[in-house]
Amino acid sequence: MSVWRSIARRFIRRVISSIPAIIGVVIVTFILMRVLPSDPAVFFTSSSVTAGQAEIDSMRKKMGLDQPLPLQLGMYLRDVARGDLGNSLTTNQPVVKDLLRRLPASLELTFVALVLALATSIPLGVLSALRSGSLIDHAVRFLCTIGVCMPTFVSGLMLVYVFYYLLGIAPDPTGRIDIFVASPPDITGFLLIDLALIGDWAGWRSALDNIILPACTMALFVLAPLTRMTRASMLGVLGSEFVRTAKSVGLHSWRIVVVYALRNALLPVLTMAGVVFSTMLGANVLVEKVFSWPGVASYALDALMASDYAPVQGFVLLMAFIFVLVNLTVDVLYGMADPRVSIE
Amino acid sequence: MTGGLSIDDLQVVFSTRNGPVEALRGISLELGDGETLGVVGESGSGKSVTAYAITRLLETSGKIVNGRIVYKGSDITRLSESDLRTMRGASISMIFQNPRAALNPIRAIGLQIADAIRAHTAVTAKEARAEALDLLKSVMIRDPEARLDAYPHELSGGMCQRVMIAIAIACRPHLLIADEPTTGLDVTTQKTVMTLLARITAERNMSMILITHDLGLAAQYCDKIVVMENGRIVERGTTRTIFLNPQHPYTRRLVAASPTPTSTIDDLARVAEAEQTTHALSARPAAKPYSITDGAILLQIRNLTKRYSSNIIAVNDVSFDIPVGGSVGLVGESGSGKTTVSRMISRLIEPSDGKIIFDSKDIGAIPARVFHSVAERRDIQLVFQDPDGSLNPRFSVFDCIADPLRKLEKLRNGKELRERVRETAARAGLADNLLSRFPHQLSGGQKARVGIARAISIRPRLLVLDEPTAALDVSVQAIILNLLDRLRREDNMAFLFVSHDLNVVRMMCERVVVMRLGKVEEIGGSSLFGNPQSPYTRSLLDAIPHFDPNGQQIKALPKANEYSR
């Protein structure tokens, strides 16, 4: 039980220590948005042809942009503390509501992509470590290089071209589900889970078909770091003294590879997977764009284009929060996987 | 042969980047049932390669190119991978040098023992666990039920080695190969582990191959000994003949270089001179007498204490003096606080309490952070244990030695610096042509010399030596100890010599401070070794393995409570 207590202690300590970082992120984003050269008041009044200086000024006043910067920041921080991230001017909805509606889409895509990436990269990494220097090793290295050097929008478009346009086995890249399938009730927001819960297997199949191409695109991009990490870590462990011990007592080779080598080799991969997850969630905006995926990243990009402050700030805050949460989860998992960590 | 082990003309070649390296050049040996064979030799002699060849656990770059290893009637060199798997653990098993690294760090030790059992016998997890418990009892681990679920990092080195022994004997093999099983363990732990091994092999009628660099250890626990040099067996015989009447020059040199309870620094000087001539380095005229001025104290340690996080006291109220030009040995087991004391005196860490008075100035009051800028930094220098890790891999020998001259004497690049470096290197026995080399291009002994040259380049008055020869072969150790002794006489340096090797300390120091659990157990002159006052010091001295011509090998059962801490 002391293991759990120590994990809980670490958890709380990490949550507390991440608060300053999150506040810092909020302030920096706030200032960054304000120093950008475009004026949202102009942007949002220019839609009406008759808009003159008077309208712009009143708009600015309405948005609170006539106040001095520190005061704006103070008001913003106060709102954030209350859980109010402001309203989006493009969707006319509270930012919190928008983000919460779109976050499951991004999370679902990223989870599926991460699972795909891990399911591919760990066996590939293990294989290339076991046969290092062989043809397989070089082939895996080649695949990783392709994956990492091809921008996601290129690989995404290529997948769409091949599987949708040429072969016709993938659905059209227009969102999370076939438009003719009735949208499921909003239970968790994760389509694959919701549809399974209500037992709509046709819809589930459609959601799966829709998610596979974008998830593959994302997975391909992170295949390289995960595979290379698995390979390097596996090579190190295979050369270690305790693997030699395992050999010296005559353990089966698969048992040596799985129980002795792989479990130890996965520890650094776990850390890597956390970083990869956070990166995919926020940075793969291009994948969301290519596949018209209604996620948070494309939402933030649209808002940025429109100089819509509140959603961008909300998005950055959300990402910072998720980053902290993911690292925390990785830490807890690490503490459970490696008994040496919990002694601090 | 009665089904023992017989090796015939075994040759092993390693393919390296610089071409093939012959590790074993045709060795032959026989081992009967129940016998214990000692394989001794220095690093690079091929003794470990022999062990790994027998179990076919050589690295992939190592190949058996010739010879036969016949065990129980079958030739191991021709066994298939699956036959090897059946053989390993069940008929031949091994224990290794670094017990903690040899165990899986994230698997409970009970499971690791069970893994070994279940590799060869079809038992359930529960039965294996029960058997693992019995094994832990038979290797005399205290509180074995609780230890089943412990991880290696929660156990001491000696405990880990016991677990390793339990794994090795789990499937009742007939031959146990122990590769430096106690190197890195304290002498007292070494004694309990070796006694345990001797008892287990005797009880189960196992034969054992003990691979060690420590002649004393081999002498005490082996019936027969083979001596290896450069991949060949240069001498073989019973322990008695090897020690009393060594024939081969290498064996003689090895025997002479091994510190014994009676050897002196002059004995080592002879070894060193013999080696020096082979290395074509002229030995300097030595024998300038020590000049220890009575009453002149260089360093006074008073009530020195180091506490970590309130309740851990690493060093507790330690006081002793080092006279000008004197040499004080600091001995004790791991965890006794001797390294912490040396670090505080070198002003690398802060004392929690007490005074460090150097030349009537309390340098303990100067924060470690700023100590590099005070004059005393030049007076107190260090020589570290690991000659490899303590040299910057990107510094040439010249840069290593020049570094303190540049930093502490503010010498600029130029003729003076070059002269000083060259002179220092020559004094430490480093030839001019070595100055441009990098650490990885040097041998262990040369690296140790660089570490010493770096420390003496600015002519310190106190040299703190933290296990300076622990990582070296005995013949190299003899040379380095001899060199240190000569430098001490020449420069009138004082030594604080931290070591776990009491024989070395006896040769190098006039006074000895014995530490235990952070406290001073005993302080005395060299007479302390003949007549220790504290039982702890006596147990340390008794634990040193050595060849006793009148004695018997230890095969007797240990006393009932031979549990180590």
Side-chain angles (χ1 to χ4, degrees):
Chain A
M1 274 304 90
S2 67
V3 176
W4 290 106
R5 198 174 305 144
S6 109
I7 288 175
R9 215 173 29 234
R10 278 153 55 80
F11 197 92
I12 292 165
R13 195 179 307 153
R14 289 290 297 272
V15 169
I16 292 172
S17 67
S18 60
I19 289 174
I22 290 193
I23 292 178
V25 165
V26 170
I27 294 175
V28 168
T29 332
F30 179 88
I31 293 170
L32 259 178
M33 287 305 289
R34 293 315 186 268
V35 297
L36 286 181
S38 77
D39 186 342
V42 175
F43 186 87
F44 285 101
T45 43
S46 61
S47 47
S48 59
V49 206
T50 55
Q53 195 56 40
E55 277 89 356
I56 293 175
D57 283 347
S58 79
M59 188 64 172
R60 192 169 281 150
K61 193 158 188 154
K62 193 179 136 205
M63 293 167 81
L65 295 174
D66 55 335
Q67 306 285 341
L69 248 174
L71 203 67
Q72 287 186 38
L73 177 64
M75 289 188 329
Y76 177 65
L77 286 177
R78 190 197 60 201
D79 288 347
V80 168
R82 285 182 187 154
D84 176 10
L85 296 177
N87 287 330
S88 163
L89 296 170
T90 31
T91 63
N92 276 322
Q93 294 280 336
V95 169
V96 177
K97 202 176 156 196
D98 274 347
L99 285 176
L100 284 183
R101 195 169 48 79
R102 286 167 155 265
L103 183 61
S106 287
L107 279 179
E108 185 171 38
L109 177 58
T110 311
F111 266 125
V112 173
L114 186 69
V115 169
L116 268 178
L118 287 175
T120 328
S121 63
I122 291 175
L124 285 182
V126 170
L127 204 64
S128 50
L130 288 175
R131 304 258 178 282
S132 90
S134 70
L135 206 62
I136 297 174
D137 189 19
H138 288 296
V140 169
R141 185 175 295 139
F142 179 73
L143 183 72
C144 288
T145 315
I146 296 276
V148 82
C149 66
M150 199 168 346
T152 45
F153 60 90
V154 175
S155 51
L157 285 175
M158 268 178 54
L159 287 177
V160 168
Y161 178 72
V162 173
F163 290 98
Y164 169 63
Y165 181 76
L166 286 184
L167 300 176
I169 50 175
D172 49 346
T174 51
R176 303 174 72 185
I177 197 161
D178 195 336
I179 40 168
F180 299 113
V181 175
S183 222
D186 201 18
I187 308 171
T188 59
F190 293 87
L191 280 187
L192 288 174
I193 295 175
D194 289 352
L195 289 166
L197 281 178
I198 61 164
D200 179 359
W201 295 109
W204 191 83
R205 184 62 208 270
S206 156
L208 186 70
D209 286 346
N210 273 278
I211 207 168
I212 279 189
L213 283 195
C216 280
T217 313
M218 275 188 170
L220 201 60
F221 192 63
V222 297
L223 200 61
L226 291 174
T227 307
R228 301 305 290 171
M229 182 64 110
T230 310
R231 179 183 181 272
S233 158
M234 196 68 190
L235 273 179
V237 175
L238 283 173
S240 73
E241 297 185 23
F242 61 84
V243 166
R244 189 185 59 191
T245 305
K247 283 183 192 158
S248 83
V249 295
L251 292 194
H252 274 289
S253 49
W254 64 266
R255 200 169 171 78
I256 294 175
V257 169
V258 176
V259 178
Y260 279 70
L262 185 59
R263 274 195 207 167
N264 281 279
L266 282 184
L267 294 175
V269 178
L270 184 65
T271 312
M272 193 74 183
V275 176
V276 160
F277 181 83
S278 321
T279 316
M280 280 201 288
L281 191 60
N284 270 334
V285 54
L286 291 168
V287 177
E288 293 190 358
K289 280 277 160 205
V290 168
F291 291 92
S292 316
W293 200 259
V296 279
S298 55
Y299 169 70
L301 186 67
D302 290 339
L304 184 68
M305 297 298 201
S307 294
D308 193 355
Y309 292 165
V312 177
Q313 285 166 184
F315 169 77
V316 173
L317 185 61
L318 178 72
M319 283 303 133
F321 191 73
I322 286 176
F323 193 75
V324 168
L325 212 65
V326 166
N327 278 329
L328 218 55
T329 314
V330 166
D331 259 25
V332 171
L333 289 177
Y334 207 108
M336 287 191 289
D338 188 345
R340 288 166 297 180
V341 176
S342 45
I343 51 166
E344 296 176 37
Chain B
M1 277 315 295
T2 54
L5 175 77
S6 126
I7 298 180
D8 185 28
D9 194 29
L10 183 66
Q11 292 177 30
V12 171
V13 173
F14 280 83
S15 49
T16 69
R17 214 179 293 177
N18 303 323
V21 173
E22 286 184 73
L24 291 183
R25 300 158 193 259
I27 65 160
S28 305
L29 56 84
E30 309 255 308
L31 180 68
D33 277 342
E35 276 185 336
T36 301
L37 173 73
V39 179
V40 298
E42 298 188 295
S43 43
S45 61
K47 53 190 196 304
S48 288
V49 176
T50 310
Y52 292 120
I54 294 172
T55 46
R56 291 278 304 276
L57 283 171
L58 290 169
E59 291 167 47
T60 44
S61 60
K63 292 272 180 298
I64 297 176
V65 292
N66 190 25
R68 288 160 21 109
I69 305 169
V70 180
Y71 184 69
K72 304 262 178 216
S74 58
D75 185 355
I76 293 175
T77 59
R78 292 169 198 281
L79 287 185
S80 69
E81 198 53 43
S82 76
D83 287 340
L84 282 173
R85 199 190 68 70
T86 336
M87 176 199 82
R88 289 178 194 144
S91 52
I92 303 180
S93 64
M94 294 184 79
I95 54 179
F96 303 97
Q97 174 168 0
N98 183 350
R100 194 167 284 146
L103 296 172
N104 188 343
I106 62 168
R107 196 162 171 79
I109 60 166
L111 286 175
Q112 297 192 44
I113 301 175
D115 282 342
I117 296 167
R118 298 181 76 189
H120 298 285
T121 36
V123 291
T124 63
K126 209 173 162 189
E127 288 163 349
R129 190 179 162 90
E131 234 177 285
L133 182 64
D134 287 342
L135 283 163
L136 283 186
K137 282 179 190 156
S138 65
V139 295
M140 296 193 294
I141 280 186
R142 198 179 295 170
D143 197 4
E145 284 87 359
R147 292 285 178 264
L148 277 177
D149 299 315
Y151 292 94
H153 71 269
E154 295 166 332
L155 303 175
S156 68
M159 283 295 185
C160 284
Q161 195 58 293
R162 282 159 190 260
V163 173
M164 191 61 234
I165 293 172
I167 291 175
I169 63 171
C171 292
R172 308 193 160 268
H174 307 291
L175 172 60
L176 182 65
I177 301 175
D179 183 15
E180 304 267 10
T182 56
T183 309
L185 300 180
D186 287 321
V187 276
T188 47
T189 315
Q190 164 168 291
K191 190 179 176 186
T192 51
V193 166
M194 284 309 300
T195 314
L196 176 72
L197 265 180
R199 202 201 65 189
I200 283 176
T201 48
E203 274 175 6
R204 300 179 173 221
N205 194 28
M206 293 161 69
S207 29
M208 176 161 78
I209 297 179
L210 175 66
I211 291 164
T212 180
H213 68 281
D214 186 341
L215 281 177
L217 193 72
Q220 208 153 27
Y221 294 96
C222 301
D223 314 310
K224 295 196 300 186
I225 286 179
V226 297
V227 182
M228 292 190 67
E229 186 196 18
N230 285 331
R232 288 200 180 85
I233 293 179
V234 294
E235 188 159 2
R236 67 183 82 216
T238 63
T239 306
R240 210 179 158 76
T241 50
I242 293 276
F243 275 85
L244 293 182
N245 190 15
Q247 296 298 315
H248 193 273
Y250 178 73
T251 317
R252 276 191 216 147
R253 226 164 49 226
L254 215 55
V255 172
S258 300
T260 67
T262 51
S263 57
T264 63
I265 194 77
D266 293 329
D267 293 340
L268 295 189
R270 278 195 286 281
V271 179
E273 270 159 34
E275 295 271 337
Q276 298 270 7
T277 46
T278 56
H279 286 84
L281 267 170
S282 58
R284 285 173 157 252
K288 182 178 179 239
Y290 304 114
S291 51
I292 307 163
T293 336
D294 269 344
I297 300 295
L298 183 67
L299 182 78
Q300 283 177 292
I301 306 296
R302 288 293 172 269
N303 311 101
L304 197 59
T305 300
K306 179 71 189 179
R307 274 182 296 269
Y308 288 104
S309 62
S310 71
N311 49 0
I312 300 160
I313 301 178
V315 173
N316 191 357
D317 197 19
V318 168
S319 304
F320 61 90
D321 293 340
I322 302 180
V324 174
S327 173
V328 172
L330 197 54
V331 299
E333 296 183 284
S334 48
S336 62
K338 55 187 194 305
T339 297
T340 311
V341 168
S342 76
R343 295 265 156 89
M344 283 192 280
I345 292 173
S346 336
R347 300 304 300 112
L348 295 175
I349 54 175
E350 306 286 357
S352 309
D353 219 335
K355 285 190 162 63
I356 305 167
I357 300 162
F358 185 83
D359 215 7
S360 69
K361 181 178 174 188
D362 184 9
I363 59 167
I366 306 169
R369 205 163 26 83
V370 300
F371 194 73
H372 65 91
S373 59
V374 302
E376 281 77 12
R377 175 76 286 166
R378 293 180 47 186
D379 289 331
I380 306 176
Q381 286 292 307
L382 284 124
V383 176
F384 299 94
Q385 170 172 2
D386 180 3
D388 229 344
S390 59
L391 296 180
N392 186 334
R394 294 179 175 276
F395 271 22
S396 67
V397 171
F398 183 93
D399 289 329
C400 280
I401 303 173
D403 198 40
L405 292 168
R406 285 182 181 132
K407 298 241 162 73
L408 296 172
E409 289 204 2
K410 313 280 180 230
L411 281 184
R412 297 261 164 224
N413 282 336
K415 196 161 177 266
E416 197 191 346
L417 181 71
R418 277 201 303 278
E419 279 306 310
R420 282 287 293 277
V421 170
R422 205 166 287 154
E423 181 209 326
T424 312
R427 292 185 64 213
L430 288 163
D432 261 7
N433 61 349
L434 295 178
L435 286 179
S436 57
R437 293 209 191 163
F438 287 90
H440 68 272
Q441 299 166 315
L442 301 173
S443 71
Q446 287 167 336
K447 277 183 263 199
R449 285 178 197 271
V450 176
I452 292 168
R454 176 176 60 183
I456 62 162
S457 64
I458 49 174
R459 307 226 167 220
R461 293 160 69 198
L462 173 65
L463 201 55
V464 177
L465 302 122
D466 189 1
E467 307 262 13
T469 58
L472 302 175
D473 281 325
V474 277
S475 61
V476 183
Q477 167 172 286
I479 299 167
I480 295 298
L481 291 181
N482 193 48
L483 167 73
L484 284 170
D485 189 64
R486 197 193 73 215
L487 291 170
R488 183 184 152 208
R489 294 174 205 236
E490 285 174 4
D491 282 7
N492 196 21
M493 260 187 293
F495 277 3
L496 177 66
F497 202 101
V498 181
S499 181
H500 68 279
D501 190 333
L502 283 96
N503 280 331
V504 169
V505 167
R506 187 180 47 74
M507 286 189 284
M508 297 297 291
C509 307
E510 294 89 46
R511 286 187 76 72
V512 185
V513 179
V514 183
M515 284 188 70
R516 182 194 190 189
L517 302 175
K519 285 190 171 160
V520 173
E521 180 82 12
E522 186 170 1
I523 298 184
S526 41
S527 65
L528 178 142
F529 290 95
N531 184 22
Q533 296 305 303
S534 105
Y536 176 68
T537 313
R538 180 170 294 281
S539 74
L540 281 184
L541 284 166
D542 287 346
I544 305 172
H546 57 85
F547 174 66
D548 178 0
N550 306 315
Q552 286 261 303
Q553 278 98 44
I554 295 184
K555 277 267 168 124
L557 298 183
K559 287 166 204 84
N561 56 347
E562 202 83 65
Y563 291 92
S564 80
R565 285 173 291 120

